[in-house]
């Protein structure tokens, strides 16, 4: 009743796309300056939002895209542009301003979506659900999704220990590094979307 091959394939795919180690510095940068209790709550909220989005698209994702007449490349480009805006804020230091960080729950956007539940993860889950054979395949697919989000929560939850070691100066360095990484992810996502549009035309 459990297809280990399907589980392993989807889990590894989501691990590469959602990238828990790579998300860690971005999470630290976006949540720096907040009390530890708030940061822990935001780690939980980000994972919950990502899981909710992935679940919805896993169940009715193709129907949503078809109804809205939205192509996968368009979704990728839009997500990439949103991530690029956040990355520019991190690189220029604008997230140091209270108005940018204190009044906005970054656990929802951009952490929950589109960073964790981005176009790549959404499309992978849609395809996995569609291609899963029988009950054993479906159980394996949803088990992989749950396991991946558990890993994401652990990575972000315990990354907060890093802040105690690196202090304020280290947080600034991590913020700039996260901005650079996030901008590269965003640009690559846009390139992938444009490439698919060109190939499809």
């Amino acid at each position: 009743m459990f297809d280990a091959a399907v589980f392993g394939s989807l889990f590894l795919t989501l691990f590469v796309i959602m990238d828990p180690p790579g998300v860690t510095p971005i999470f630290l940068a976006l949540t720096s300056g907040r009390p530890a209790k708030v940061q822990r709550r935001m780690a939980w909220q980000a994972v919950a939002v990502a899981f909710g989005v992935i679940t919805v698209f896993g169940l009715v994702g193709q129907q949503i895209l078809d109804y809205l007449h939205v192509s996968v490349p368009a979704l990728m480009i839009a997500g990439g542009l949103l991530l690029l805006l956040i990355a520019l804020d991190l690189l220029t230091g604008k997230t140091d301003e209270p108005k940018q960080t204190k009044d906005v729950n970054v656990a929802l956007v951009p952490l929950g979506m589109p960073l964790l539940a981005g176009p790549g993860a959404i499309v992978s889950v849609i395809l996995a659900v569609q291609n899963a054979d029988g009950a054993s395949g479906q159980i394996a697919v949803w088990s992989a999704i749950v396991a991946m989000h558990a890993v994401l929560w652990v990575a972000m939850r315990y990354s907060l220990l890093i802040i105690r070691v690196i202090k304020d100066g280290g947080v600034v360095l991590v913020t700039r590094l996260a901005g650079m990484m996030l901008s590269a992810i965003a640009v690559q996502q846009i390139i992938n979307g444009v490439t698919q549009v060109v190939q499809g035309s």
Side-chain angles (χ1 to χ4, degrees):
M1 286 298 293
F2 186 82
D3 194 328
V6 171
F7 174 89
S9 176
L10 181 58
F11 182 84
L12 288 176
T13 300
L14 291 178
F15 190 92
V16 171
I17 294 172
M18 302 176 95
D19 190 17
V23 165
T24 297
I26 298 171
F27 173 76
L28 292 176
L30 291 173
T31 61
S32 64
R34 292 177 171 84
K37 182 178 179 180
V38 174
Q39 289 175 318
R40 288 193 294 269
R41 187 175 71 241
M42 293 178 77
W44 168 252
Q45 288 176 334
V47 172
V49 168
F51 181 75
V53 171
I54 290 293
T55 298
V56 169
F57 276 93
L59 295 174
V60 292
Q62 193 60 57
Q63 292 87 333
I64 293 174
L65 295 180
D66 292 342
Y67 178 76
L68 296 175
H69 303 292
V70 174
S71 66
V72 171
L75 191 65
M76 297 177 71
I77 294 171
L81 289 173
L82 180 56
L83 288 179
L84 187 58
L85 290 175
I86 303 298
L88 291 175
D89 278 349
L90 291 175
L91 284 170
T92 56
K94 288 184 178 179
T95 52
D96 295 335
E97 300 173 11
K99 290 183 180 178
Q100 295 289 331
T101 59
K102 306 303 180 185
D103 301 330
V104 178
N105 190 349
V106 296
L108 307 182
V109 177
L111 276 174
M113 183 178 181
L115 188 56
L116 297 181
I122 289 172
V123 172
S124 297
V125 168
I126 290 175
L127 293 177
V129 170
Q130 290 177 347
N131 296 330
D133 294 326
S136 62
Q138 292 294 335
I139 291 172
V141 165
W142 290 103
S143 296
I145 293 171
V146 171
M148 185 65 247
H149 284 81
V151 170
L152 284 168
W153 178 79
V154 169
M156 288 190 291
R157 169 66 178 79
Y158 291 98
S159 69
L160 298 175
L161 299 175
I162 298 173
I163 292 180
R164 300 178 185 176
V165 178
I166 63 177
K167 307 299 183 183
D168 291 342
V171 169
V172 173
L173 178 61
V174 168
T175 300
R176 299 298 181 268
L177 175 63
M180 186 169 62
M181 291 170 55
L182 192 57
S183 62
I185 294 171
V187 170
Q188 185 61 56
Q189 195 163 291
I190 294 171
I191 291 173
N192 292 344
V194 172
T195 300
Q196 289 190 24
V197 170
V198 172
Q199 290 176 345
S201 61

